[in-house]
Amino acid sequence: MAKRTTLRRTIEVKGKGLHSGRESAIALIPSYRESGIMICASKGKNLYPIGDCELFSPGRSTCLVLPDGEIIYTVEHLLASLYGMGVDDAVVVVEGGEVPIFDGSALPWAERIKDVGLAEKDDGEERPINLSSPLLVEDDETGAWVACFPSDVLKVSYIISFDNDFIGTQVFSSVVTEETFLKDFAPARTFVRLEDVDELKKQGLALGGSLDNALVFDDKGLVNDTFLRFENECVRHKAVDLLGDLSLVGKFLCAHVVGFKAGHRLHLRMVERLKRLCRGDMS
């Protein structure tokens, strides 16, 4: 088993939330306890393991309800980066209620984690979840599903299919390591169809969205004055979202996880299945 790790030093950043549009500040602090990722809504408040939080998705993000009732929005890119970059133990302090969106990718988080580096801890070993049989959650109405298969490593595969010709059907698959996360997952940015933007804003979402923090597609192609970082950038970003959601089990997972036309709500249903598995309750 590998030694548990934490950050070598604190990371502090500020930025705008995608859905609230408000400024927030985040501190990622080394933790020398074998406690996993702990989170709180502001300095001085109680810390909670992310695995103990209630989870919900308004549709385009993942949000945590802490045991004290505080809500933290849009945690998936940050948590995917901690997970993908191999951080076992850390404290996350969120001031402002939502994690900043930056350029719409996980890359700013992953690069900061790489820059500060990881410290191995002598007092503990990382013990992953291993599956003995497959797990499946599905949406009967849409045909979407997420499945977990036994594996010796964490591997993520994803398939998306949109009626927009410039997104279309995309496939991505990769074993998750620090190197592959930084190179193949983290740079992929969040995306949206232009036709969906007004409806999101009516729902009180994407109030901080812009062409600087999301890829926007219309029926003529990419609206942004930029280039795709990957031909299949959209599906890679879905894989990032899935990793961030999987981190909410609270333990590292060894499995091949496959998503088909899914989203945060279905991801979180799989998270709940995995949490029950950890508790020994699969009813």
Side-chain angles (χ1 to χ4, degrees), residues 155-158 171-176 184-185 232 235-236 239 256-258:
K155 183 177 181 179
V156 171
S157 300
Y158 220 109
V171 179
F172 173 68
S173 185
S174 177
V175 171
V176 181
D184 298 326
F185 289 80
N232 61 345
V235 73
R236 289 174 187 249
H256 183 189
V257 187
V258 184

Side-chain angles (χ1 to χ4, degrees), residues 165-179:
D165 291 340
F166 298 93
I167 302 175
T169 298
Q170 298 182 15
V171 179
F172 173 68
S173 185
S174 177
V175 171
V176 181
T177 66
E178 293 175 37
E179 292 75 20

Side-chain angles (χ1 to χ4, degrees), residues 40-201:
C40 67
S42 63
K43 292 177 183 177
K45 293 205 171 182
N46 289 336
L47 287 167
Y48 301 100
I50 56 173
D52 289 355
C53 297
E54 183 181 338
L55 314 176
F56 76 95
S57 172
R60 296 288 181 129
S61 66
T62 291
C63 309
L64 306 184
V65 182
L66 278 57
D68 61 10
E70 295 277 4
I71 301 176
I72 299 176
Y73 293 83
T74 322
V75 298
E76 57 269 23
H77 301 170
L78 168 56
L79 294 183
S81 299
L82 291 168
Y83 204 49
M85 296 299 289
V87 181
D88 294 305
D89 302 308
V91 171
V92 179
V93 181
V94 181
E95 303 271 2
E98 185 175 14
V99 175
I101 189 63
F102 297 123
D103 68 346
S105 79
L107 188 60
W109 294 114
E111 289 181 331
R112 284 171 169 84
I113 293 168
K114 183 176 186 298
D115 287 344
V116 302
L118 302 185
E120 284 191 347
K121 297 156 66 172
D122 295 330
D123 58 349
E125 293 180 322
E126 187 267 323
R127 298 175 181 273
I129 302 169
N130 293 100
L131 302 181
S132 58
S133 59
L135 299 175
L136 174 69
V137 295
E138 53 191 332
D139 186 323
D140 292 335
E141 292 186 7
T142 65
W145 50 265
V146 178
C148 290
F149 301 95
S151 173
D152 293 332
V153 296
L154 177 59
K155 183 177 181 179
V156 171
S157 300
Y158 220 109
I159 306 100
I160 62 172
S161 186
F162 284 79
D163 57 10
N164 179 288
D165 291 340
F166 298 93
I167 302 175
T169 298
Q170 298 182 15
V171 179
F172 173 68
S173 185
S174 177
V175 171
V176 181
T177 66
E178 293 175 37
E179 292 75 20
T180 61
F181 183 79
L182 190 62
K183 179 172 68 76
D184 298 326
F185 289 80
R189 293 161 289 182
T190 193
F191 65 97
V192 66
R193 297 178 302 179
L194 183 61
E195 64 196 77
D196 296 331
V197 171
D198 286 343
E199 183 58 33
L200 288 171
K201 292 185 181 296

Side-chain angles (χ1 to χ4, degrees), residues 206-227:
L207 301 180
S210 74
L211 295 178
D212 294 325
N213 56 35
L215 299 175
V216 181
F217 293 87
D218 65 11
D219 58 5
K220 296 180 181 178
L222 187 63
V223 174
N224 311 63
D225 185 18
T226 187
F227 295 99

Side-chain angles (χ1 to χ4, degrees), residues 6-9 11 28-30 32 87 89-90 113 116-119:
T6 190
L7 301 166
R8 287 193 177 275
R9 61 179 187 272
I11 298 169
L28 307 181
I29 304 168
Y32 295 96
V87 181
D89 302 308
I113 293 168
V116 302
L118 302 185

